[in-house]
Amino acid sequence: MAPKHHATPLSGGDRKALSKELGKARAMTTILAAKSAEARAEGEALIRTADRLLCESWNERMWSDGEPIDPSPGVDQAINGGYPWLEIACSRCKTKRDVDLAALRHQPTTFVHDLASRLRCSKCAKAGRRPPATLLQLAPRPRHPSSDP
């Protein structure tokens, strides 16, 4: 969008009035930009809170029902909500480990419950087996020491 051009009036009083109005408009743009940034920050904080509550709700449903619940939060929602770790257990040897969701290659809209078929136990893989992982819960930090290199 091209900037507006204001023709300078010929009379002194009109020039002063135009200058005053342009000054008000510039001041208003600064005020509106500050309000916009403030509203955006508040909105992002609310989205982070909503994502955190979604992850906590999913963890509670996982604990009470004991199986992957659909719908689950998206991977990007879990990371944004402060739950970047997924606790899993091997369905065969029951070894627990933590997976860093931020390190996984995924689409931003991938749901956490869709990861169950992709995650495998590295301990069982060395023995030539590839059982799928069982999802346990989302966590804000790793809970189990990593045995993977």
Side-chain angles (χ1 to χ4, degrees):
M1 185 170 164
K4 289 185 178 179
H5 176 71
H6 300 287
T8 306
L10 297 176
S11 70
D14 290 340
R15 281 195 307 267
K16 287 179 186 176
L18 177 64
S19 173
K20 185 177 179 182
E21 290 302 316
L22 289 175
K24 285 181 184 178
R26 288 185 187 106
M28 206 51 195
T29 60
T30 305
I31 292 169
L32 293 174
K35 284 185 178 182
S36 172
E38 181 181 311
R40 183 170 305 281
E42 288 175 9
E44 289 171 357
L46 286 173
I47 290 171
R48 271 192 304 279
T49 301
D51 290 343
R52 181 181 52 80
L53 292 172
L54 181 63
C55 292
E56 289 174 2
S57 169
W58 189 75
N59 279 345
E60 290 296 323
R61 287 186 293 156
M62 284 290 291
W63 182 81
S64 64
D65 296 344
E67 59 187 43
I69 304 295
D70 179 18
S72 62
V75 173
D76 55 342
Q77 289 175 318
I79 293 169
N80 188 40
Y83 286 84
W85 293 91
L86 177 63
E87 186 179 337
I88 63 171
C90 175
S91 59
R92 182 177 172 271
C93 67
K94 306 299 184 213
T95 302
K96 292 183 180 181
R97 74 177 180 119
D98 296 306
V99 176
D100 184 4
L101 295 175
L104 292 177
R105 289 182 18 191
H106 64 279
Q107 294 284 339
T109 56
T110 302
F111 291 106
V112 171
H113 73 272
D114 290 338
L115 296 175
S117 61
R118 296 186 212 167
L119 300 173
R120 305 284 184 204
C121 177
S122 58
K123 184 177 172 184
C124 290
K126 292 175 185 171
R129 295 177 175 85
R130 301 284 289 167
T134 302
L135 304 181
L136 299 177
Q137 67 180 357
L138 291 166
R141 61 191 157 279
R143 297 172 187 239
H144 301 93
S146 176
S147 60
D148 296 337

